[in-house]
Amino acid sequence: MSEGAAADRDPGLQPERTRLAWRRTTLSGTVSAVLAVKTALHGGPSPAALVACALCCALWLAFLYLAHRRIRTLSSSDTPPTLTPRAATTAVLCTVAMAVCGAALVF
Amino acid sequence: MIDFARNVRVWFAPEEVRQEGRTPDYRFSLANERTFLAWLRTALALIGGGFAVDQFLPDLRWGWRVGLALALLAAGVLCSLRAVNHWVRCERAMRRGEDLPVSRFPALLSVVVAVVAVAMVFVVLVGWEG
């Protein structure tokens, strides 16, 4: 490691920590999605169950894409731009949609 | 309530946040983002817990099982909505140079989690016997 690179980098490793936070959150989302799919397919593969299953997978993919895009932005520069409210809202809406899907399945 | 409606508008209109005040140190924004993600993980864990109650406690009576699962799912929804709302409020306060907003949500959530935990103990003891 050269002297210049060490000086450029944030000693608190903020972008890296934020990147890992996105990874952790994606992992939590994966666990939720797997449990959702298990719930959906519990009573055998009926059409409604398959639709719910596909929906949960789509929500998970959307979240994955969002996280991936943000991680790329974070690693692209030394002073990354702020998270946009739209991305934050989309991530939250994915979560909410999964919960609503779950409520429908459980009920 | 009016504040909340205003915040909801900002969720979908990123330009409005950027117009106010001046951009804070990127490290503060990233810290705010990580707090947001931590709350989102809490929400996802609650939602996962809702699914888990439904799947892994099949011997419980229907009412208890569905009630607990729905309560956990609802708590997850609340938690995630609050996550984005608090993130927007913090971001805005930082841009304006104001104090960060205070919130009684963490206390509320911990009380709810404690109540659900006690309910679980009760349900597992009683539900399996009856």
Side-chain angles (χ1 to χ4, degrees), chain B residues 13 21 25 32 34 37-38 41 47 64 68 74 76 83 94 100 112 117 126:
Chain B
D25 187 335
N32 191 20
R34 286 198 298 277
L37 288 173
R41 278 199 295 282
I47 291 168
W64 278 106
L68 261 178
M94 286 194 298
L100 290 184
V112 168
V126 174

Side-chain angles (χ1 to χ4, degrees), chain B residues 9-91:
Chain B
R9 223 182 54 230
V10 173
W11 298 357
F12 297 99
E15 307 78 26
E16 266 187 57
V17 178
R18 207 154 287 169
Q19 277 164 10
E20 287 181 77
R22 33 192 235 81
T23 308
D25 187 335
Y26 78 99
R27 283 171 290 189
F28 298 152
S29 290
L30 289 182
N32 191 20
E33 183 178 338
R34 286 198 298 277
T35 310
F36 162 68
L37 288 173
W39 277 110
L40 201 57
R41 278 199 295 282
T42 309
L44 282 166
L46 286 168
I47 291 168
F51 286 125
V53 164
D54 183 54
Q55 282 297 297
F56 299 119
L57 295 175
D59 297 339
L60 281 183
R61 259 170 288 150
W62 185 83
W64 278 106
R65 189 160 53 88
V66 170
L68 261 178
L70 287 182
L72 282 170
L73 288 172
V77 169
L78 262 182
C79 195
S80 60
L81 289 178
R82 186 267 178 187
V84 68
N85 192 46
H86 193 74
W87 176 78
V88 164
R89 284 173 64 198
C90 285
E91 202 65 33

Side-chain angles (χ1 to χ4, degrees), chain A residues 50-93:
Chain A
L50 288 179
V51 167
C53 198
L55 196 65
C56 287
C57 288
L59 288 170
W60 178 74
L61 278 177
F63 194 92
L64 192 69
Y65 171 70
L66 209 71
H68 182 70
R69 238 183 38 184
R70 181 62 185 156
I71 285 169
R72 273 186 41 189
T73 314
L74 282 172
S75 47
S76 66
S77 76
D78 286 335
T79 53
T82 313
L83 177 70
T84 59
R86 194 166 289 145
T89 310
T90 315
V92 164
L93 285 184

Side-chain angles (χ1 to χ4, degrees), chain B residues 102-123:
Chain B
V102 289
S103 169
R104 60 175 79 87
F105 185 84
L108 199 73
L109 182 68
S110 55
V111 167
V112 168
V113 168
V115 166
V116 168
V118 170
M120 276 308 281
V121 170
F122 186 75
V123 158

Side-chain angles (χ1 to χ4, degrees), chain A residues 17 22-23 66 78 107:
Chain A
R17 281 159 64 191
W22 274 104
R23 288 253 185 264
L66 209 71
D78 286 335
F107 206 69

